[in-house]
């Protein structure tokens, strides 16, 4: 039995409920937002983000980070934009060697840094593991069979997460390709925005399959440039997460894309939907593509739509009009 603090009341609540109902861990959910904790106490659920999923009384709710003083594992489930600041607040409470488990998916927008780098800079005393893969909160919170990957450069920490999180309905694989797993989790949101735009434009399944498959190719190309293993992208954290995010109505990235495809201004679409990691990640991914000189035409087309007011239909046409080539050119 472990003492686990979950930071964040969205996906974090789903993971906390799954852990509490399938294991014997001591679980606390922390939020930076007092009103969120108050509402969860009052309603016995996270009504806004996870309606219908009861929060068992045994899960503690707090806004006090001192709870981390006694934690064996601190699970971050907050949007990537808030990770660095939250790390700074967590730092004084974190014992050396505590497992830091990041369930967030994104790239730091201004620096283009992967979350593993942000955590290494801000919480070097922790042992970093990323938890990623196809795992919508709405399903995890209801113990619907799900499989994810715990990736770390520390085999001990990865095994610990596998041990503490595995249950009859939640299967955890381990991996040591942290960069590949993080890139797959972050960049599938970019492709999901495109898949949503395609749906919003009224295009078909063929178009979406094209975006997903060619999207995976360009994610792999960036992964190769950053030193990740190609086969990581064929796994749960790449292909698996891409499928779930591009095809499900649970995906906020896809929903925001649909609005954009229907003619809503990108910034307004994001404001309507809430946390749309792909919007910020597209900026970072485009920056990484430039920095490492990697061809990422779908990411670039989306960048032009999101940040340069490019017309969505014309953006799709530029993809279709690209030079004819071999399917596996620039990918070994
Ligand atoms: N929702 C999912 O199904 C899901 C699944 C897998 C991974 N993720 C990833 O997990 C991360 C969180 O996603 P989410 O859906 O829970 O997002 P969310 O928008 O629901 O926010 C989660 C929590 O972040 C906290 N938060 C909000 N503002 C904050 C601030 N300024 N400082 C610190 N904490 C703050 C709040 O407690 C909030 O409940 C994202 O990176 C997302 O990509 C989400």
């Amino acid at each position: 039995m472990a003492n686990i603090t979950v930071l964040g009341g969205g996906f974090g609540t789903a993971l906390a409920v799954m852990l509490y109902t399938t294991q014997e861990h001591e679980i606390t959910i922390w939020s930076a937002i007092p009103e969120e904790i108050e509402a969860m106490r009052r309603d016995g659920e996270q009504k806004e983000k996870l309606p219908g999923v009861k929060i068992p009384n045994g899960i503690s709710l707090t806004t006090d980070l001192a709870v981390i003083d006694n934690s064996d594992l601190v699970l971050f489930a907050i949007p990537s934009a808030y990770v660095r600041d939250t790390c700074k607040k967590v730092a004084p409470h974190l014992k050396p060697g505590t497992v830091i488990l990041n369930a967030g998916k994104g790239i730091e927008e201004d620096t283009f840094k992967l979350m593993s780098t942000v955590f290494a800079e801000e919480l070097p005393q922790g042992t970093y593991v990323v938890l990623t893969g196809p795992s919508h909160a709405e399903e995890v919170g209801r113990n619907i069979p799900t499989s994810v990957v715990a990736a770390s450069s520390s085999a001990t920490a990865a095994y610990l997460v596998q041990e503490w999180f595995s249950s009859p309905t939640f299967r955890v694989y381990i991996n040591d390709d942290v960069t590949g797993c993080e890139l797959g989790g972050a960049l599938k949101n970019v492709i999901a925005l495109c898949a949503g735009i395609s749906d919003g434009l009224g295009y078909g399944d063929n178009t979406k399959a094209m975006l997903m498959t060619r999207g995976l190719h360009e994610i792999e190309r960036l992964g190769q440039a950053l030193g990740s293993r190609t086969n990581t992208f064929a796994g749960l954290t790449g292909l698996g997460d891409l499928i779930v995010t591009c095809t499900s109505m649970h995906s906020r990235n896809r929903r925001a894309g649909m609005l954009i495809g229907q003619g809503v201004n990108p910034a307004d679409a994001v404001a309507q939907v809430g946390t749309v990691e792909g919007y910020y990640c597209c900026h970072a991914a485009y920056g990484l593509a430039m920095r490492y000189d990697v061809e990422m035409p779908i990411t670039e087309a989306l960048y032009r739509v999101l940040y340069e007011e490019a017309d969505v239909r014309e953006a799709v046409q530029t993809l279709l009009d690209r030079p004819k080539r071999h399917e596996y050119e620039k990918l070994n």
Side-chain angles (χ1 to χ4, degrees):
M1 178 170 132
N3 183 319
I4 295 176
T5 299
V6 178
L7 309 181
F11 185 38
T13 300
L15 286 166
V17 171
M18 181 280 290
L19 277 174
Y20 187 85
T21 52
T22 60
Q23 315 274 350
E24 306 239 303
H25 302 308
E26 209 173 298
I27 314 273
T28 303
I29 299 174
W30 170 91
S31 171
I33 306 164
E35 298 76 24
E36 181 177 37
I37 291 292
E38 257 169 54
M40 287 162 79
R41 279 203 187 111
R42 184 188 61 231
D43 301 331
E45 63 182 78
Q46 195 351 329
K47 272 196 165 163
E48 188 198 333
K49 296 175 178 177
L50 220 50
V53 174
K54 295 287 165 217
I55 301 173
N57 288 334
I59 293 181
S60 308
L61 302 169
T62 187
T63 54
D64 186 355
L65 280 174
V67 68
I68 290 176
D69 296 348
N70 301 315
S71 293
D72 303 303
L73 182 147
V74 180
L75 194 165
F76 279 71
I78 58 177
S80 48
Y82 310 131
V83 164
R84 193 179 283 279
D85 275 357
T86 307
C87 283
K88 288 186 195 300
K89 293 181 196 150
V90 163
H93 299 282
L94 197 74
K95 288 187 303 250
T98 306
V99 177
I100 300 285
L101 183 60
N102 175 33
K105 294 171 182 169
I107 300 176
E108 196 169 47
E109 196 189 355
D110 302 332
T111 64
F112 312 159
K113 288 178 179 170
L114 295 184
M115 286 298 119
S116 45
T117 305
V118 174
F119 279 96
E121 287 173 357
E122 300 295 340
L123 295 173
Q125 69 274 47
T127 308
Y128 183 77
V129 183
V130 58
L131 190 78
T132 179
S135 49
H136 284 312
E138 293 81 352
E139 300 181 7
V140 171
R142 291 181 169 80
N143 288 325
I144 289 174
T146 298
S147 193
V148 296
V149 172
S152 179
S153 55
S154 159
T156 313
Y159 280 125
L160 211 56
V161 170
Q162 187 178 46
E163 204 53 43
W164 284 345
F165 280 64
S166 294
S167 80
T169 52
F170 198 77
R171 182 167 171 78
V172 183
Y173 289 87
I174 60 164
N175 195 327
D176 57 359
D177 182 9
V178 176
T179 302
C181 290
E182 288 196 325
L183 271 182
L187 295 182
K188 55 91 190 182
N189 287 330
V190 173
I191 306 302
L193 265 167
C194 299
I197 290 176
S198 169
D199 288 337
L201 283 168
Y203 292 160
D205 297 338
N206 296 352
T207 322
K208 192 148 52 177
M210 167 183 79
L211 289 166
M212 289 167 69
T213 314
R214 296 308 305 174
L216 193 58
H217 275 247
E218 65 182 62
I219 295 172
E220 282 176 25
R221 277 200 292 271
L222 184 63
Q224 279 182 350
L226 269 70
S228 27
R229 276 200 302 272
T230 301
N231 65 4
T232 299
F233 299 102
L236 285 165
T237 65
L239 180 61
D241 214 355
L242 192 69
I243 292 171
V244 85
T245 316
C246 291
T247 59
S248 168
M249 275 316 288
H250 292 316
S251 166
R252 287 163 298 186
N253 292 279
R254 177 168 171 250
R255 288 208 306 271
M258 287 177 78
L259 290 172
I260 297 167
Q262 287 158 3
V264 177
N265 168 282
D268 293 343
V270 170
Q272 274 185 47
V273 172
T275 299
V276 179
E277 288 273 22
Y279 181 75
Y280 310 101
C281 187
C282 180
H283 182 206
Y286 180 68
L288 284 173
M290 296 289 114
R291 184 183 290 170
Y292 289 94
D293 194 21
V294 175
E295 213 176 320
M296 299 186 74
I298 299 175
T299 302
E300 183 176 340
L302 182 68
Y303 179 86
R304 306 251 176 260
V305 167
L306 297 183
Y307 296 105
E308 295 181 352
E309 297 180 16
D311 177 79
V312 279
R313 283 181 194 277
E314 281 172 23
V316 176
Q317 200 56 50
T318 57
L319 292 172
L320 292 164
D321 290 342
R322 296 178 70 248
K324 300 176 183 70
R325 56 170 35 171
H326 189 286
E327 186 179 17
Y328 285 101
E329 205 169 310
K330 301 203 175 188
L331 189 70
N332 299 311

